[in-house]
Amino acid sequence: MSSALSKAKSPELEAKVQKLLERQKKNLSWVRLREKGIFLCLIGCGLFSLLITGSIIFVLTSETITFFRFEEVTLGNFLLSTEWTPLLGNTKSFGIWALISGTLLVTAIAMLLALPLGLVTAIYLSEYAPRRVRSTLKPILEILAGIPTVVYGFFALMTITPFLQWCYDGFNIYNAMSAGIAVGILCFPTVCSLAEDALQAVPSSLRDGAFGLGGTRFDATIKVILPAALSGIISAFLLAIARAIGETMIVALAAGSRAHVTINPGDEVQTMTGYMVQIAGGDVSNFGIEYYSMYAVAFTLFLITLSLTMIGNRIRKKYRETYD
Amino acid sequence: MSDIDSQDDSNMSADDAEKPSKDGHIGEQSVSGPGGTPKTSLLEARDPDAFDKPTLITTRSRLAKDFRFRVMCILTACASVLILVFLLGSILGAGIPTLSWTLLTGTPEPEPENAGMWPALMGTLWVCTMCALITLPLGIGTAILIEEFTPRNRIARQVLALIQLNITNLAGVPSVVYGILGLTAFVSMFSLFDNSDNADGPSMEVGAVYYDQFSNVASDPFIDTGDTEAEERYFLFPVETRDAPSTVPKTGMLAYENSEGGLKEVEIIAIDPFADDAPTDADALSRTIDSTSDPGRISEKQWYYLRLPFGRGVVAGALTLMLVILPVIIISTQESLRAVPGTLRAGALGLGATPWQVVWNVTLPSAIPGIMTGSILAMSRAIGETAPILIIAGIVYIRSAPQHLMDDYTVMPLQIYNWTSRPQEEFHNIAAGGIVILLAILLTFNAVAVLIRHRMQNKLN
């Protein structure tokens, strides 16, 4: 094109065009360089997230190994014992089951509340609710999801616990029930929005088919849509359980600090996260055995939640019913 | 989990239990009727109520069931609203009466009536601003990498898939674990920078000046100043490093003194109380230092003061919060990038744009409202996050707002936790007041996010 131009016009113009072309060339090489540089930066960003995972695993593993190097600690005691008494001078015992059982009790109470309520609300939002109700309920759920956990902890300690004690005398000031209820309220929006996403992902042709066969909304929901969305719902449940297990501030405030195995919801329990907060917020000397026990507990917690998250995501991907 | 499932099952089976009695009756009818070919009966044997029973009774019972379920749904939905109302109501009821100017601008005094959360408020501002500055470029960059660059070969594809999987899993890690990671990686930095001679201090620092502080002899009980009165003054001698030997004052040395217009140079007089007499002139006396006294080592830190390891400072908190909200920002940015129609990209590529030019000039501008919404929501999560900060900063009594990047700090949720965990009723009330302030900030954030999203939807429509 440049040659055509130069033929037609004066040499002045030709020089101008030549200049422009050269600048273009320079520009292009600079663009290519910039392109490469930016791409490298982006790769750096991406690799950073891998670095985070790597360092979580490295830190937790190495500090847990340091913990097991202490002569008071044995792996058998850690994995089998149900006594968790790290702060008792001479009779220290590190049996993780005491903390796991506390965590499981709180989580079970929370899930008993959050899973059915969340699923039913999700069904309502996805299948039944008129548009106007939907557009009011969803922001309310978002607000519930956005409230900081320390506020739920305050709520548990100041409102739920007195209410429980008013209902029945057997409740301790710190009890698993109150913490569990608060964790349940916290997880409810999570369950609800994830389950609703799963229900919404079911193509409406299935719904129409069920209606066309004369099914009521209930029939369509229970017999067609729920089975089709089952993988998403189960994964929502697993993610909610992982969230409940890792919840910290509510249990730190409301569940208490006595680590023991119990199934009595009115009793004081300590969870894994609660123990970590107790150590970090207390005056325990850095680099003592209690300090390192925090890492061992964190490692256990990380393994449990990571496997739940991974199983949940895998179920959602692998068993998703696909409709083309 | 299993408890819940069994409960759901039992609910359903109770419903089912009343069904077979009617269904069984009708099923017999249809089998004995003319339409009852062997094929249908086979099907009915497999699943008795999957197929047609268009009699009036069944329809009515199914409609009734539908109605009952609908009522249950509505009740549950109402319950969620009630929970929110109850939660907010109980907190507002306790918190609003305690709201006061002192609570907002005061320091956390030990007496609840004078206590305020100004240092915590400023701490939150410092930590979250720093956190946003670090996290946003990183998170948006990662999302662009995953969404906008198509991998050319197998290895690149696998690496991208690994990053994606990794981010999904990172989003499920409890925040308290990130706190533990921050404690090792940022606060003590894997103990890489521990210095052997002084275990307490940092091994490397920039932006700090150290002084030896002497007071004049005016208040020294061992020195006879006669009738001359002098006001108390403090003199500063700069020293090289934090652990340099103490300065020995000599007459004629120049020292700094804090005054209204900043540091002022003053010539001092040093005396040995056992050998020399104090000067009788008031001005000279006020500049006289006991040369045998021990100075106090104080430091002045610039706003850019940097040390390694970071210690329990603002930077460590910001980096730890970065770990918590990075996956959130990446995932929400990915979603808004995915929402940009592919035709826009194809058009730009067709005009000869490079991949980055497409991203910068086409994709990002269309995705920016979504990215902003996601980022604001992520920041409101960072503001409310307590556990990781509690792990790395501990519960420390902080009386002033942070002055530099490594300063000790506390954040609002931590202050609320601190007040809530005390036994006195009054502290619980001001904790409620603190929660009201915190919720007001978070609701503002959420409202802005919702507004941006709303505007974007209108624009797209």
Side-chain angles (χ1 to χ4, degrees):
Chain A
M1 196 178 96
S2 65
S3 60
L5 266 176
S6 56
K7 255 181 210 167
K9 302 281 176 176
S10 61
E12 246 172 70
L13 196 66
E14 192 182 346
K16 224 175 194 175
V17 168
Q18 210 59 38
K19 218 172 168 185
L20 271 177
L21 276 178
E22 240 155 64
R23 198 197 283 172
Q24 180 82 357
K25 226 180 211 171
K26 235 185 208 171
N27 236 348
L28 256 185
S29 68
W30 189 74
V31 162
R32 275 200 201 106
L33 199 72
R34 190 182 63 176
E35 203 75 11
K36 255 187 197 151
I38 287 171
F39 187 64
L40 281 180
C41 284
L42 293 182
I43 294 238
C45 291
L47 292 182
F48 186 76
S49 70
L50 291 179
L51 181 73
I52 295 177
T53 315
S55 48
I56 291 180
I57 294 170
F58 171 74
V59 164
L60 291 181
T61 318
S62 66
E63 304 289 50
T64 305
I65 289 174
T66 318
F67 171 67
F68 283 114
R69 287 242 178 86
F70 281 91
E71 56 186 37
E72 293 99 319
V73 190
T74 57
L75 190 62
N77 177 269
F78 186 77
L79 291 180
L80 299 173
S81 166
T82 56
E83 295 274 314
W84 183 267
T85 51
L87 303 174
L88 282 184
N90 288 327
T91 52
K92 285 181 192 293
S93 168
F94 296 90
I96 191 70
W97 283 105
L99 295 180
I100 290 186
S101 89
T103 305
L104 288 185
L105 180 62
V106 172
T107 308
I109 295 167
M111 292 302 106
L112 224 50
L113 186 77
L115 298 189
L117 275 184
L119 181 59
V120 171
T121 312
I123 291 175
Y124 176 68
L125 279 178
S126 162
E127 306 298 324
Y128 281 87
R131 185 180 283 182
R132 189 175 289 172
V133 177
R134 223 177 109 83
S135 62
T136 22
L137 262 183
K138 287 215 83 167
I140 287 179
L141 286 176
E142 273 173 34
I143 294 176
L144 266 180
I147 293 177
T149 55
V150 69
V151 178
Y152 283 103
F154 180 88
F155 182 63
L157 193 61
M158 302 298 151
T159 312
I160 302 178
T161 304
F163 177 72
L164 289 174
Q165 284 176 325
W166 177 75
C167 290
Y168 174 65
D169 278 343
F171 281 104
N172 204 318
I173 297 180
Y174 301 109
N175 62 71
M177 188 74 184
S178 141
I181 292 175
V183 175
I185 298 174
L186 173 80
C187 291
F188 165 74
T190 314
V191 180
C192 192
S193 70
L194 286 175
E196 203 218 337
D197 286 347
L199 292 172
Q200 290 277 311
V202 177
S204 56
S205 55
L206 284 185
R207 223 163 268 141
D208 298 341
F211 292 146
L213 288 170
T216 59
R217 243 172 225 288
F218 177 74
D219 294 332
T221 307
I222 299 294
K223 289 172 190 159
V224 177
I225 294 164
L226 268 190
L230 195 63
S231 66
I233 289 170
I234 289 178
S235 112
F237 282 8
L238 288 177
L239 293 183
I241 294 172
R243 174 116 203 248
I245 288 178
E247 174 40 47
T248 311
M249 295 322 290
I250 297 175
V251 291
L253 278 169
S257 55
R258 194 160 80 84
H260 62 139
V261 176
T262 178
I263 52 161
N264 175 10
D267 219 349
E268 187 178 348
V269 295
Q270 187 166 45
T271 65
M272 292 188 275
T273 50
Y275 174 72
M276 282 148 77
V277 165
Q278 188 196 358
I279 295 299
D283 298 328
V284 177
S285 70
N286 269 14
F287 310 121
I289 188 168
E290 300 88 358
Y291 176 81
Y292 284 107
S293 70
M294 194 164 76
Y295 286 90
V297 173
F299 191 52
T300 319
L301 177 69
F302 177 68
L303 281 186
I304 295 176
T305 51
L306 182 70
S307 42
L308 280 173
T309 321
M310 284 177 94
I311 295 171
N313 287 328
R314 176 146 283 210
I315 286 181
R316 188 168 49 190
K317 281 227 176 84
K318 199 167 181 188
Y319 298 98
R320 182 163 48 195
E321 309 262 337
T322 44
Y323 308 93
D324 293 318
Chain B
M1 162 93 201
S2 62
D3 286 329
I4 307 293
D5 275 353
S6 64
Q7 203 189 32
D8 266 358
D9 284 348
S10 68
N11 274 346
M12 276 167 56
S13 61
D15 281 344
D16 285 346
E18 67 179 3
K19 201 190 294 175
S21 61
K22 290 168 193 163
D23 284 353
H25 178 65
I26 296 150
E28 273 167 40
Q29 269 186 342
S30 71
V31 168
S32 61
T37 60
K39 203 180 171 192
T40 35
S41 67
L42 243 179
L43 277 169
E44 287 193 357
R46 212 172 60 192
D47 188 0
D49 53 45
F51 283 89
D52 57 309
K53 279 129 226 164
T55 54
L56 202 59
I57 308 168
T58 352
T59 310
R60 194 178 289 157
S61 83
R62 276 163 52 209
L63 282 177
K65 200 180 289 165
D66 183 45
F67 178 72
R68 260 177 283 153
F69 188 70
R70 185 189 292 259
V71 169
M72 189 175 102
C73 281
I74 293 174
L75 286 181
T76 322
C78 287
S80 67
V81 179
L82 272 183
I83 287 171
L84 181 72
V85 168
F86 193 53
L87 197 156
L88 289 183
S90 73
I91 287 167
L92 292 183
I96 283 184
T98 60
L99 278 184
S100 67
W101 203 240
T102 325
L103 186 64
L104 196 63
T105 58
T107 52
E109 302 296 330
E111 315 86 40
E113 59 271 18
N114 298 329
M117 56 193 322
W118 181 250
L121 200 70
M122 293 321 283
T124 293
L125 185 71
W126 273 74
V127 171
C128 291
T129 313
M130 281 227 46
C131 173
L133 288 181
I134 304 167
T135 319
L136 287 180
L138 259 180
I140 295 174
T142 310
I144 290 176
L145 177 75
I146 301 174
E147 287 301 316
E148 300 295 319
F149 288 87
T150 17
R152 294 222 182 100
N153 52 37
R154 210 160 52 90
I155 299 172
R157 204 173 305 133
Q158 280 174 347
V159 168
L160 278 195
L162 184 66
I163 292 177
Q164 175 72 71
L165 176 76
N166 180 42
I167 288 161
T168 326
N169 288 330
L170 278 182
V173 174
S175 56
V176 67
V177 173
Y178 286 120
I180 294 275
L181 174 63
L183 189 62
T184 310
F186 304 132
V187 175
S188 62
M189 290 202 155
F190 303 102
S191 308
L192 282 180
F193 298 99
D194 279 1
N195 37 356
S196 46
D197 51 330
N198 187 347
D200 292 335
S203 62
M204 205 200 96
E205 49 188 352
V206 181
V209 188
Y210 286 93
Y211 295 101
D212 274 342
Q213 188 182 37
F214 290 90
S215 64
N216 65 1
V217 291
S219 57
D220 196 326
F222 299 109
I223 290 181
D224 179 26
T225 54
D227 298 331
T228 341
E229 293 280 335
E231 57 176 327
E232 194 154 349
R233 287 166 76 174
Y234 294 95
F235 301 102
L236 302 172
F237 294 93
V239 288
E240 294 288 317
T241 57
R242 187 185 62 249
D243 37 13
S246 305
T247 316
V248 181
K250 291 194 180 72
T251 307
M253 274 171 87
L254 286 177
Y256 291 111
E257 188 184 17
N258 263 321
S259 66
E260 278 167 27
L263 289 180
K264 195 176 67 185
E265 276 197 337
V266 182
E267 196 183 325
I268 57 121
I269 302 164
I271 56 163
D272 183 350
F274 303 105
D276 309 324
D277 282 333
T280 47
D281 172 29
D283 175 55
L285 183 67
S286 76
R287 291 186 285 117
T288 305
I289 294 176
D290 176 355
S291 63
T292 58
S293 63
D294 286 329
R297 181 68 47 93
I298 63 166
S299 66
E300 189 190 36
K301 283 159 183 156
Q302 305 296 321
W303 64 269
Y304 57 83
Y305 171 65
L306 195 73
R307 69 172 176 227
L308 290 177
F310 290 150
R312 306 188 167 217
V314 171
V315 168
L319 287 171
T320 308
L321 280 187
M322 182 262 298
L323 300 178
V324 179
I325 65 166
L326 187 62
V328 184
I329 288 193
I330 293 176
I331 290 171
S332 72
T333 308
Q334 272 184 284
E335 272 165 15
S336 29
L337 286 177
R338 255 180 239 146
V340 175
T343 48
L344 285 183
R345 286 187 199 101
L349 283 173
L351 289 172
T354 61
W356 175 250
Q357 283 170 336
V358 175
V359 170
W360 186 250
N361 298 313
V362 178
T363 322
L364 270 186
S366 349
I368 213 79
I371 295 176
M372 274 172 73
T373 310
S375 308
I376 292 172
L377 290 179
M379 285 323 294
S380 72
R381 168 142 186 228
I383 292 175
E385 200 61 70
T386 327
I389 300 283
L390 176 55
I391 296 283
I392 60 163
I395 297 179
V396 206
Y397 180 59
I398 307 286
R399 289 209 39 165
S400 62
Q403 303 298 317
H404 52 83
L405 292 180
M406 301 286 158
D407 211 354
D408 284 348
Y409 65 98
T410 184
V411 291
M412 291 170 68
L414 198 55
Q415 187 66 57
I416 292 166
Y417 169 74
N418 188 350
W419 281 333
T420 310
S421 56
R422 292 191 197 187
Q424 299 96 326
E425 181 88 16
E426 295 82 11
F427 277 115
H428 299 163
N429 289 336
I430 58 169
I435 288 176
V436 173
I437 298 177
L438 180 64
L439 286 184
I441 294 175
L442 293 182
L443 280 183
T444 319
F445 265 69
N446 283 15
V448 170
V450 168
L451 214 71
I452 292 175
R453 190 168 53 190
H454 194 71
R455 213 167 247 195
M456 173 182 64
Q457 272 167 357
N458 281 355
K459 207 175 165 189
L460 280 180
N461 288 342

